[in-house]
Amino acid sequence: MEMYKLLTFKDLGDERGKLVVIEGGQSIPFDIARAFYIYGSDSTVVRGQHANRNSEFVLVNVAGTSKVMITDGTRKEVVELNKPMEAVYIPKMIWKEMYDFSPDSVLLVLANTHYDGSEYIRDFDEYIREMKNFNKDE
Ligand code: TYD
């Protein structure tokens, strides 16, 4: 299973400024059910620290920068989000942690689901247990 995919959106900017469009099912691999954004987190904060049983996400720093640590319990990678045109797609059942937010960071997150707290796995040991079954079933 792929842990993540880097996405580059088209630049529709001109002399008036930049314009970036994100179309559900076209520039990202799912239809968008939810958007939220995270800002005002400083460089000492770690957010996320969860995996989702059903949700897929696209993360893009529309301003500022942050980092995302992505792991499936075996592999571990860090993606730096530092361009409004570049995003990372994270499939379901991938553990993620967002950190190292710049003071001006605005991290936009798009999801394929409406919020349901019960599909979040917030305990890493539990995640590892569920991953064993998930990998068996895939
Ligand atoms: P949380 O999942 O801890 O945020 P992060 O993943 O960025 O660390 O969410 C913080 C609070 O907001 C928590 O009480 C759940 C709530 N929440 C919603 O109600 N809807 C949402 O779509 C999200 C992402 C969070």
Side-chain angles (χ1 to χ4, degrees):
M1 186 177 80
E2 230 178 22
M3 285 210 298
Y4 68 91
K5 203 167 148 180
L6 296 175
L7 307 173
T8 303
F9 303 127
K10 258 207 243 144
D11 175 10
L12 301 178
D14 54 31
E15 64 286 346
R16 297 168 299 165
K18 302 283 190 192
L19 175 70
V20 178
V21 182
I22 306 176
E23 295 243 23
Q26 294 178 13
S27 42
I28 66 171
F30 54 77
D31 289 330
I32 300 163
R34 176 165 50 125
F36 56 94
Y37 41 94
I38 293 165
Y39 63 99
S41 295
D42 69 31
S43 60
T44 64
V45 166
V46 181
R47 302 200 59 124
Q49 298 184 295
H50 46 59
N52 294 74
R53 298 184 183 95
N54 303 318
S55 295
E56 302 167 46
F57 297 98
V58 165
L59 281 67
V60 51
N61 257 100
V62 294
T65 63
S66 70
K67 293 191 179 103
V68 197
M69 189 278 279
I70 298 163
T71 181
D72 61 2
T74 308
R75 297 165 291 171
K76 179 175 164 176
E77 297 211 29
V78 173
V79 173
E80 186 159 354
L81 296 171
N82 54 17
K83 292 186 191 77
M85 257 173 280
E86 288 186 6
V88 62
Y89 163 71
I90 305 179
K92 60 186 176 180
M93 286 305 282
I94 294 294
W95 186 271
K96 57 218 166 294
E97 304 188 358
M98 295 84 86
Y99 63 101
D100 212 4
F101 298 93
S102 64
D104 58 343
S105 173
V106 181
L107 177 60
L108 172 67
V109 183
L110 306 172
N112 68 324
T113 57
H114 292 290
Y115 182 72
D116 169 11
S118 70
E119 61 109 12
Y120 279 66
I121 308 169
R122 293 183 180 273
D123 179 274
F124 192 70
D125 293 337
E126 169 63 16
Y127 169 66
I128 296 296
R129 278 195 292 276
E130 289 197 30
M131 267 311 261
K132 287 195 179 124
N133 290 324
F134 184 74
N135 287 331
K136 242 188 308 185
D137 298 343
E138 283 291 289

